[in-house]
Amino acid sequence: IYQSVMPPVLKPESSKIDGNAFLGLSLARKSDRGHPESVTHQIAFDLNDVMDRSYEYMSSTNDDGFLIGGGEPGAPKSYKLPAKDSANVELMHIGTYNPEWGGISEKEIIEVMKSGKILIPQIEVLPTKVQLNGDSPPELELRFDMPWGPDFVETTSELPPNWQLRFIHNQLFKHFYNPSRYCPSPFHVTIARKVEFRSEQHKEAYFSMCEAVVKKWKLAGPRPLNANPVDNKSGIWLFTDRTKPTHFFPPNFLPPYNTEEKRQIILSYLTEEWDEKTLSWVRAEYPEKEIPTSVKQKRRVAPVEEKSHFMEWCGNPIEALLGVSGRAPT
């Protein structure tokens, strides 16, 4: 029996031709172990630390090899397809720049992103785990989850790591309604595809190594994706495909984020999440902060009684800042 593996696009019947354009983060970083034409977009994380270039633990990947950590240099350093570092986190998959195929014109995307209709905070991210996805053979992914949910009652409390990803993602999904729109959830960087390990013991040893690296990153906390230490412009990119980031959009919604107006706007976009199965908005659920660890983890849910209050801010965020009401289409 044939089973469709089509991505969860918004309107399958109108999504004519698949493409690779998207909006997202770039974690590319040049390395002397990678492709000589790789560029550096961030220095916060050396993703070589979670790779296995010597294939000590892995037995094989697909012909792309490693997509991160500087990319694949090609022969004689490696005998995978030579390619630049393409480490990225997709926030919204566009597909193509042709509306007739279900995409969005490049001009429209750039105009919207430069207009201020999408609030882009100073992005600071934190890798949370390395894991295999559900494919067979699987992809190896570096995840960027929200470890706990925002507090919708004590609105002065600390925001969770990686809140900016859901914040931007939900804004994009509430603004763009092209048929090919979707997001490869959860938020992640693909390390390699069709990964096989030498044995279960090698697999366990590899993930133990990764766990130690991620723990080190967690101790340092969320980091901005800047190309050098003096930059302060950690924003998002428009990619024609994962190897071609073409336009950069710097932050336009700057810290601090603990003022009442800004916190209300942030929380308004974190009350919902997009359900890929029903292709509709549902109330967001988040894990509780793990304190104490002996207590069974509960799910933090955006409160129903406060949802309408928060969603009053969900129109054009700039209008919200100016005190003008407005709501996004649902």
Side-chain angles (χ1 to χ4, degrees), residues 209-229:
M209 177 195 75
C210 292
E211 186 177 354
V213 173
V214 171
K215 185 176 293 185
K216 177 188 68 174
W217 286 336
K218 287 181 178 179
L219 288 173
R223 304 283 299 279
L225 301 178
N226 293 324
N228 61 70

Side-chain angles (χ1 to χ4, degrees), residues 247-314:
H247 296 81
F248 177 73
F249 307 104
N252 58 19
F253 183 61
L254 301 176
Y257 300 115
N258 58 0
T259 66
E260 182 177 356
E261 285 183 319
K262 288 183 179 178
R263 185 58 65 92
Q264 291 281 13
I265 291 172
I266 292 167
L267 292 178
S268 75
Y269 281 108
L270 300 182
T271 59
E272 295 180 299
E273 59 186 347
W274 184 254
D275 188 325
E276 293 181 346
K277 295 181 179 179
T278 63
L279 299 180
S280 62
W281 292 101
V282 298
R283 190 157 48 108
E285 295 188 0
Y286 301 97
E288 282 282 353
K289 196 171 184 179
E290 294 184 358
I291 47 173
T293 55
S294 59
V295 178
K296 185 178 180 180
Q297 193 178 60
K298 299 180 180 179
R299 302 292 292 178
R300 174 168 285 175
V301 182
V304 176
E305 64 272 15
E306 296 191 23
K307 183 177 178 183
S308 60
H309 169 68
F310 285 130
M311 296 313 294
E312 289 175 359
W313 296 78
C314 278

Side-chain angles (χ1 to χ4, degrees), residues 91-198:
L91 299 179
M92 185 183 78
H93 192 89
I94 297 164
T96 71
Y97 295 147
N98 188 337
E100 294 183 359
W101 294 346
I104 317 169
S105 73
E106 183 179 29
K107 179 181 178 182
E108 179 183 350
I109 298 166
I110 294 171
E111 287 178 351
V112 169
M113 297 306 296
K114 288 184 174 181
S115 71
K117 293 179 180 179
I118 305 299
L119 291 182
I120 305 172
Q122 175 71 28
I123 296 173
E124 296 182 355
V125 296
L126 179 66
T128 51
K129 70 173 75 171
V130 176
Q131 73 172 37
L132 297 170
N133 75 359
D135 294 350
S136 182
E139 292 188 0
L140 184 63
E141 299 175 345
L142 178 62
R143 295 270 294 267
F144 291 82
D145 300 319
M146 286 173 59
W148 67 86
D151 195 321
F152 292 92
V153 179
E154 297 295 332
T155 55
T156 58
S157 62
E158 176 189 12
L159 287 166
N162 301 323
W163 66 267
Q164 297 96 330
L165 307 188
R166 174 66 62 81
F167 178 69
I168 297 173
H169 163 84
N170 280 6
Q171 289 183 79
L172 293 172
F173 266 45
K174 285 180 177 291
H175 186 90
F176 294 105
Y177 286 84
N178 62 298
S180 296
R181 187 204 75 187
Y182 78 97
C183 183
S185 62
F187 299 123
H188 68 275
V189 166
T190 300
I191 298 173
R193 297 189 172 106
K194 296 187 176 181
V195 174
E196 302 280 5
F197 289 90
R198 296 186 179 277

